[in-house]
Amino acid sequence: MNDALKARVAIACQGGGSHTAFTGGVLQGLLTFLPDDVEIVALSGTSGGAICAALAWEGLLRDDPSLAVRKLQDFWNSTAARDPWDRIMNQFVIGLQSLRDLMILPDVSPYHFPAWGADRFRETLNRYFDFDTLRSLARRPGAPSLQIGAVEVLSGHFELFTGDELSVECLLASAAIPELFRAVTVPGRGVFWDGLFSQNPPIHDLAYHSIDELWLIQINPSTIARVPTETHQILDRRNSLAGNLSMEQELRFIETFNRAIATGTIMDPNYRKISIQRIALDRALHSRTKVDRSQELLDDLLAYGHAKAKWFLKDRLRSRPDGATGARG
């Protein structure tokens, strides 16, 4: 199909620890069954969503979506706690999170322990990304954009790392949960924590890529069925609301952007009204499972994300006026 006739799409990936395996599955499904009338021109992400977005972005950069599908699968397989010692440590971390929820655990700083976890995570990321090559590919005209969110600890400023500057430090910075990891220094930029404190995920800058559609992969639920009354329920809901606060603010920017176009306030033909569509993890999961790396949980979330992507694309096809599109995969 002529590129001029394709819908220009940006995908934004919310962060949420192990729950972001769902994002990996969604991206696998989207890249496998992507309609011929769609061009993905930008991806953004925060924390685990940033890593998934970067893996998908590499497949687009290399014009090999199947590469991204394989790498997303391999990454989450390698993340899973599979050997006996790792499974014991996984249960230990979940137990600590449970005690913290009950408010009976004293504050423990990651600076009180060796940085083994961060070192292992760095090795994993370096194994999956050839950062020098990716930065070079990102500078080609027409290459898809990548945006990674993080917050600078000392200044409190929200930061975006782009594909042409991507490094292992950028991904570590976006995923540096303060309770688990030490702050990450990105040379020339500052000292950073998890992007969940900033744009989760980065959205409003995507509007400047002349996109027609924004596909948001959402991890934290927007609504719940009843008022939480137990301590763990209250903490769960607070966790979700905190994770969604910046996301909802970013979406309101897109809505304001759309109104400005509709009223003629913005008349630049390079900008167009953006359709916002969500692919949500609509399961009742406890927040403590965001640190659970069990193979069963990650496999289940990957499979569910893949299925949700197929449903999403089918619904999108049915909603088109002409119903005419193709799919590859």
Side-chain angles (χ1 to χ4, degrees):
M1 178 177 288
N2 189 327
D3 286 349
L5 300 177
K6 292 185 177 183
R8 293 173 58 85
V9 171
I11 303 176
C13 305
Q14 190 178 47
S18 294
H19 292 182
T20 341
F22 170 79
T23 301
V26 171
L27 290 170
Q28 285 181 313
L30 295 178
L31 292 174
T32 300
F33 303 106
L34 190 69
D36 291 336
D37 69 336
V38 166
E39 179 186 8
I40 300 173
V41 299
L43 295 106
S44 72
T46 293
S47 195
I51 296 169
C52 289
L55 289 166
W57 175 71
E58 177 178 1
L60 298 176
L61 273 181
R62 297 183 185 273
D63 195 25
D64 186 0
S66 64
L67 172 67
V69 173
R70 292 195 304 272
K71 280 198 167 187
L72 283 161
Q73 187 69 46
D74 290 345
F75 173 80
W76 285 105
N77 285 342
S78 69
T79 300
R82 291 189 289 181
D83 64 68
W85 175 247
D86 206 10
R87 288 199 296 269
I88 291 171
M89 289 302 299
N90 184 54
Q91 289 301 315
F92 176 72
V93 171
I94 295 171
L96 286 180
Q97 187 65 43
S98 300
L99 292 174
R100 180 172 291 150
D101 288 350
L102 295 173
M103 301 181 181
I104 60 176
L105 181 71
D107 290 335
V108 179
S109 167
Y111 290 88
H112 296 162
F113 300 95
W116 292 331
D119 292 341
R120 177 180 173 183
F121 195 21
R122 178 185 291 271
E123 291 173 2
T124 298
L125 293 175
N126 277 322
R127 193 164 65 247
Y128 279 92
F129 295 98
D130 180 349
F131 291 103
D132 289 338
T133 299
L134 292 177
R135 287 193 297 267
S136 177
L137 291 174
R139 297 185 182 109
R140 295 181 307 178
S145 170
L146 176 69
Q147 299 176 359
I148 302 300
V151 64
E152 210 284 320
V153 178
L154 301 180
S155 67
H157 291 162
F158 300 165
E159 295 285 344
L160 282 180
F161 301 112
T162 57
D164 60 358
E165 61 181 339
L166 186 66
S167 66
V168 67
E169 287 81 14
C170 296
L171 292 177
L172 287 171
S174 185
I177 302 171
E179 296 89 347
L180 299 178
F181 297 107
R182 302 178 185 186
V184 175
T185 298
V186 178
R189 297 292 292 272
V191 183
F192 292 88
W193 267 344
D194 192 326
L196 297 179
F197 287 94
S198 56
Q199 297 164 292
N200 185 26
I203 290 176
H204 80 265
D205 282 52
L206 298 174
Y208 301 112
H209 289 274
S210 301
I211 61 173
D212 301 291
E213 300 178 32
L214 170 66
W215 296 352
L216 170 63
I217 305 176
Q218 183 174 344
I219 300 300
N220 296 312
S222 293
T223 62
I224 56 175
R226 59 185 62 87
V227 175
T229 56
E230 300 295 329
T231 300
H232 69 91
Q233 296 172 338
I234 294 169
L235 291 173
D236 261 2
R237 186 55 180 158
R238 186 178 70 177
N239 179 279
S240 294
L241 291 173
N244 285 345
L245 178 62
S246 62
M247 181 193 75
E248 296 297 345
Q249 291 173 336
E250 298 260 296
L251 290 175
R252 280 198 290 274
F253 170 84
I254 299 295
E255 292 167 356
T256 301
F257 185 87
N258 285 341
R259 285 195 297 271
I261 292 174
T263 59
T265 304
I266 295 178
M267 302 182 67
D268 188 330
N270 291 318
Y271 299 135
R272 57 196 85 179
K273 186 177 179 181
I274 299 168
S275 170
I276 301 172
Q277 303 176 62
R278 304 191 194 209
I279 309 172
L281 174 57
D282 49 2
R283 286 185 173 178
L285 296 172
H286 197 289
S287 63
R288 73 170 65 102
T289 59
K290 288 184 176 181
V291 299
D292 182 4
R293 295 184 294 109
S294 65
Q295 185 80 59
E296 297 77 13
L297 175 67
L298 300 184
D299 285 348
D300 181 57
L301 289 174
L302 277 166
Y304 186 51
H306 193 278
K308 286 278 287 193
K310 291 179 68 174
W311 297 336
F312 168 77
L313 292 174
K314 287 181 180 178
D315 286 343
R316 180 181 178 276
L317 174 59
R318 284 194 293 266
S319 67
R320 283 174 53 85
D322 56 6
T325 187
R328 67 185 183 202

